[in-house]
Amino acid sequence: MQQTVCITGASKGLGLELVKLFYAHRYRVFPLVRTNAAANDLLKEMPTCHPIVADVTEDTCTDILKAALYAHTNVLDILINNAGIPGVAYQIAQVTTQETSELFNVHSLGVIRTVQAALSFLERSSVPRIINISSRLASLSKTASGEFYEGGFSYSYRMAKAAQNMLTLCLDQELRSRGIHVSAVHPGKLNTKCASHDANMDPKEAAEKIFAWCQAAGLHNSGYYVEPGMGKLPW
Ligand SMILES: NC(=O)c1ccc[n+]([C@@H]2O[C@H](COP(=O)([O-])OP(=O)(O)OC[C@H]3O[C@@H](n4cnc5c(N)ncnc54)[C@H](OP(=O)(O)O)[C@@H]3O)[C@@H](O)[C@H]2O)c1
């Protein structure tokens, strides 16, 4: 049977490359984008994909996503929470609660909304999987060991991704016994709009590594925090 995947943040960058790759591998793809224009662009290139227009920072996203899936399928095999935005404040004096709230909303609350929408569909899959696109910058261990000491990384981004990592672990604890594989994936340092100053990888290459890892990973490595092709990261 044709496998199904829903990918958020599908208009550009890593999300778009993941959509193209899963589509090329004959998955039934549900890309989530924020605008009708982005949905139409996807349909021009991939006429049989099913774009969903929603914003993961809004509570309405849950019902929109649920209804859009329900219109086409009972089953979802993979949910990839990829939508994200960078932060701009690198020093405490510049941090604003507004930016921090926005980042938490996208990276952490957004994942709650999409998982709540997708859960009953995932439960009907024989190989269900939730992949949260995290970041190396989410790692408390790496941060504590001084790996990012040189700065140049935003407070809100690191805090929001760390919260998303905790959500990944909470989801794994609840859902693994129900057969749902949950993981946090650092995709690499990508040359995209979200790029850090030390970016060195094309998003297409990152998508290929994630796809290959996804095919190989089993329930025994649910609850992992990984960089596909490189190995595990410390939480
Ligand atoms: N770039 C890196 O080096 C790097 C490293 C580690 C992790 N990551 C993570 O990888 C993921 C993809 O990032 P990227 O580098 O591919 O960035 P990107 O090119 O800027 O793409 C981000 C995507 O997220 C979408 N998005 C943003 N806010 C959204 C919202 N509220 N609702 C729905 N969609 C939303 C954007 O849609 P619009 O077109 O509508 O803005 C866009 O499609 C992010 O979670 C990022 O944190 C990136």
Side-chain angles (χ1 to χ4, degrees), residues 8-15 32-35 54-57 81-85 106-107 133-136 157 161 186-196 199:
T8 71
S11 67
K12 57 180 180 256
L14 177 62
L32 187 144
V33 292
R34 278 198 282 194
T35 64
D55 186 321
V56 301
T57 62
N81 287 302
N82 166 78
I85 51 173
V106 178
H107 294 285
I133 301 298
S134 177
S135 166
R136 67 196 158 122
Y157 185 78
K161 283 294 197 194
H186 166 56
K189 297 177 276 184
L190 314 180
N191 284 309
T192 62
K193 206 167 163 243
C194 259
S196 55

Side-chain angles (χ1 to χ4, degrees), residues 111-183:
V111 173
I112 292 177
R113 296 183 181 100
T114 60
V115 170
Q116 286 179 340
L119 193 54
S120 62
F121 298 87
L122 289 164
E123 282 173 326
R124 292 188 206 102
S125 165
S126 53
V127 281
R129 188 179 298 272
I130 297 169
I131 297 174
N132 293 331
I133 301 298
S134 177
S135 166
R136 67 196 158 122
L137 300 172
S139 170
L140 295 184
S141 303
K142 279 176 171 286
T143 305
S145 71
E147 194 169 321
F148 310 121
Y149 190 67
E150 291 305 316
F153 302 110
S154 104
Y155 268 71
S156 60
Y157 185 78
R158 291 183 288 171
M159 291 163 67
K161 283 294 197 194
Q164 188 204 76
N165 266 10
M166 177 57 84
L167 174 57
T168 299
L169 287 171
C170 294
L171 288 168
D172 171 60
Q173 282 191 0
E174 181 184 350
L175 302 178
R176 193 193 308 191
S177 61
R178 285 147 70 179
I180 301 179
H181 184 290
V182 189
S183 51

